[in-house]
Amino acid sequence: MRLLLPSVIAAVYCFLSLALPLKAHFVLKALMGAAFLAAGLKYVFYQVVGGGFFRPNLPVPVMLTAEALYAALLVLFFLALVKDASSLALRLARLMGAPWRLPFTPGFRSALLVAAALACGAWGTWQAVRVPNVRTVEIALQKLPAELDGFTLVQLSDLHIGPVQKAAWLEEVVRKVNALSPDAVAVTGDMIDGLPRTLRDDMKPLAKLRAKYGVFGVTGNHEYYYDAKDWLKELSSLGVTMLQNEHRVLPGNLIIGGVPDNTAARFGGRGTDAEAAFAGAPAGPRILLAHKPNDAGLPSSAADLQLSGHTHGGLIFFLAPLIGHYNGGYVRGLYRTPQGKLLYVSPGTGLWNGFSCRLGVPSEITRFVLRAEKE
């Protein structure tokens, strides 16, 4: 379990930085250390008690409590690093004659940082599971004909319907989307965390999505963990046109293509092929749906605009550089790719239950308004 080691390191560091230096009874220090370690062992708890790392069978309140405490641990680790770096800098400054010191006593500082971390963990978990707001982004596209100026496309990404986000949450997301009266809807992967037979009822609200020219989707990596072949059938029955290295031509020769996540190759599928997705397409502006921003051969020069997700926007503001490192530098928002094309990375509409926290990275329902690029 790759996340176990860094979680334990964070817990140990918090103990050494915040508990061990205290002038307190060793029992109190031991209790603090045990609390830090318990929060860091969330994934072990999911595996052993919940029966699975990706989709633990636990009550939602229990999961959200575990998520909030784990998020608090990571925030506390970050705050402890900042405290210790500041302390070191002030110590060096004192060697040069400056009188500066950290404010408050070590005990009060530790209590203050723990309280701040707990508040951030609770707030971040709520931010992660709430129904997101709509964000409108205007994009000028080359070759977009004048009659399509103002075309609206709504992107949903990383819904992760499963242990936490369920039918009621999805119903509200669908209501917000339909209120926008979009011309098209794109769902860029990781829609589920569970098998079709367990999530069929929770996914039913997706069938209520309405768009003038249709709802289009692609698979993410999580679909392949839960029987992608059956999910492709299930999603199609819900009215989602699943694009597997293929495209559809909309009025005005606006072309929407889609590729499966490259995880498909590990499960006997073809994998990502952007060139094949637009094979035989007429001349016109091309939009590519791809779960990961930098999957095999991506970003692609075959599309004028690529819509992706997967990164969850970096989750917490101080984790964004790390998430970007594993995704070609793409974390969230609009980018100009090395090929001179446009790439928009959604921070996600929902969130994977394995890390349900957002700090400084709000989820969103993204509404694109396409504009004809002026000469």
Side-chain angles (χ1 to χ4, degrees):
M1 196 182 298
R2 289 181 295 179
L3 294 174
L4 177 60
L5 180 59
S7 301
V8 171
I9 290 173
V12 171
Y13 188 87
C14 287
F15 172 75
L16 296 176
S17 175
L18 300 171
L20 194 60
L22 294 179
K23 293 180 180 179
H25 197 279
F26 77 95
V27 174
L28 177 60
K29 296 181 183 181
L31 288 174
M32 290 180 67
F36 296 153
L37 185 60
L41 293 177
K42 179 193 74 169
Y43 295 110
V44 175
F45 173 68
Y46 282 179
Q47 186 73 43
V48 175
V49 179
F53 167 62
F54 275 105
R55 194 180 187 279
N57 185 21
L58 294 167
V60 172
V62 172
M63 286 195 63
L64 292 184
T65 300
E67 292 298 317
L69 291 174
Y70 184 76
L73 175 67
L74 294 191
V75 172
L76 188 62
F77 175 60
F78 174 76
L79 294 176
L81 286 174
V82 172
K83 173 188 74 72
D84 292 339
S86 300
S87 179
L88 178 60
L90 292 177
R91 183 173 298 180
L92 294 174
R94 287 197 299 274
L95 292 176
M96 294 183 286
W100 306 323
R101 293 181 181 277
L102 288 175
F104 312 121
T105 65
F108 188 82
R109 283 198 299 268
S110 293
L112 189 64
L113 294 183
V114 168
L118 287 171
C120 286
W123 170 258
T125 300
W126 179 79
Q127 285 284 295
V129 299
R130 70 180 179 86
V131 176
N133 295 324
V134 176
R135 183 187 182 200
T136 298
V137 179
E138 289 203 3
I139 292 183
L141 271 189
Q142 292 181 342
K143 300 178 284 187
L144 189 75
E147 64 265 28
L148 288 182
D149 188 85
F151 185 99
T152 58
L153 171 65
V154 171
Q155 180 189 12
L156 304 176
S157 192
D158 301 275
L159 296 169
H160 287 286
I161 302 302
V164 175
Q165 285 99 340
K166 297 182 181 293
W169 181 89
L170 183 57
E171 186 91 40
E172 185 61 17
V173 169
V174 169
R175 186 194 66 78
K176 282 194 169 188
V177 173
N178 288 344
L180 300 172
S181 299
D183 291 310
V185 173
V187 192
T188 49
D190 278 9
M191 304 179 208
I192 51 84
D193 271 315
L195 293 167
R197 67 175 181 271
T198 62
L199 292 181
R200 186 165 284 115
D201 289 342
D202 284 320
M203 289 295 287
K204 282 181 179 178
L206 204 64
K208 299 178 183 178
L209 271 176
R210 296 292 178 264
K212 186 175 182 180
Y213 299 115
V215 178
F216 304 92
V218 292
T219 51
N221 51 305
H222 278 238
E223 274 75 35
Y224 293 96
Y225 306 150
Y226 297 103
D227 195 350
K229 185 177 179 181
D230 278 358
W231 268 121
L232 286 169
K233 296 176 184 176
E234 188 71 25
L235 292 165
S236 295
S237 74
L238 293 172
V240 182
T241 300
M242 297 298 293
L243 301 174
Q244 298 278 288
N245 293 323
E246 55 190 322
H247 67 268
R248 297 292 185 272
V249 181
L250 275 55
N253 274 2
L254 177 62
I255 303 149
I256 294 185
V259 293
D261 187 86
N262 207 43
T263 306
R266 288 166 40 195
F267 291 82
R270 181 175 175 182
T272 303
D273 191 339
E275 297 296 329
F278 292 108
R286 298 180 175 189
I287 299 174
L288 177 67
L289 312 183
H291 178 61
K292 294 192 185 98
N294 68 325
D295 219 337
L298 299 177
S300 172
S301 59
D304 300 294
L305 170 64
Q306 178 179 318
L307 303 182
S308 295
H310 182 67
T311 66
H312 299 226
L315 301 166
I316 302 177
F317 65 93
F318 57 79
L319 292 178
L322 178 64
I323 302 297
H325 173 74
Y326 289 103
N327 290 278
Y330 305 115
V331 183
R332 64 174 173 140
L334 188 62
Y335 297 88
R336 178 74 65 175
T337 71
Q339 298 91 339
K341 307 297 184 178
L342 294 173
L343 164 66
Y344 189 87
V345 182
S346 167
T349 308
L351 203 64
W352 173 49
N353 62 84
F355 196 97
S356 297
C357 180
R358 289 184 180 272
L359 286 173
V361 188
S363 55
E364 67 183 43
I365 295 167
T366 317
R367 174 179 177 263
F368 297 100
V369 180
L370 304 186
R371 295 298 182 190
E373 194 172 68
K374 294 178 174 58
E375 298 292 337

